[in-house]
Amino acid sequence: MTVTSTQSIRRTVIPAPVPGPSGPDGSCATAATAATAATGTSGRWETPDTAAGRSRAWTRLVDEVREAGQYRTTAEADRVTRIVLSALGGRVVGDERVALAQALPPEAARVVSSQIPVTRPQTAAEFVDGVAARIEGATPATARWDVSSVLSVLPKLVGDDLIDRVLGQLPPG
């Protein structure tokens, strides 16, 4: 016997508290209220791109990666951006991980934060090999190019200080 319910399940998302300015009642601010306090807006990355349902910030990020990496298509730059950010999300932990996710466009933040960080040390070659394994037909040389293409555009979005701290968590090389 199969029981089918016509009730829908309602999901409520409660923003996580973040350190920073307090709310009027002295409580911790949420990411949204912290962004409003810091930028005077509801968040600089929240502008939707009506054509594709993606934020304009994500589109700009992919366009910059496409230019930096000299990729032929936006789809290729999008794929490489997601793969490299995913690998980065598997390496970066702690305050740098939180700050990176908060500074990136929402799509990029989801890619970074959806990864479970690796707990064992990894060499630079292993990091690049991991990226190469995710890209069809990639070699270590092309994967290094892909990683460099993405990492080279991030300082414009997140700032040099944060990128220096993030790179400090990656294996040297």
Side-chain angles (χ1 to χ4, degrees):
M1 177 162 125
T2 304
V3 177
T4 306
S5 172
T6 58
Q7 293 178 336
S8 64
I9 297 174
R10 195 157 139 200
R11 181 189 285 191
T12 303
V13 177
I14 300 171
V18 295
S22 301
D25 61 354
S27 62
C28 287
T30 63
T33 57
T36 300
T39 65
T41 67
S42 64
R44 63 182 191 184
W45 302 113
E46 307 255 343
T47 309
D49 180 359
T50 55
R54 295 186 177 119
S55 72
R56 288 189 180 113
W58 174 259
T59 302
R60 282 194 314 267
L61 172 60
V62 171
D63 287 346
E64 289 187 30
V65 169
R66 181 178 179 188
E67 185 177 321
Q70 301 174 352
Y71 298 106
R72 289 187 216 161
T73 66
T74 300
E76 183 180 12
D78 184 285
R79 183 175 52 82
V80 165
T81 302
R82 289 178 188 280
I83 290 169
V84 172
L85 288 176
S86 175
L88 192 60
R91 297 301 319 163
V92 179
V93 297
D95 292 341
E96 286 75 21
R97 181 182 178 88
V98 172
L100 182 62
Q102 288 176 337
L104 290 171
E107 298 89 342
R110 283 190 293 273
V111 171
V112 169
S113 60
S114 69
Q115 300 303 305
I116 298 171
V118 176
T119 57
R120 68 172 186 80
Q122 189 178 42
T123 67
E126 289 172 326
F127 180 79
V128 169
D129 289 344
V131 170
R134 298 177 188 192
I135 301 174
E136 186 178 333
T139 65
T142 60
R144 274 192 303 278
W145 179 270
D146 295 333
V147 169
S148 295
S149 297
V150 174
L151 293 181
S152 70
V153 303
L154 290 183
K156 290 181 191 177
L157 294 175
V158 304
D160 291 330
D161 178 56
L162 178 56
I163 277 299
D164 288 344
R165 292 180 2 234
V166 166
L167 293 177
Q169 290 192 13
L170 295 179

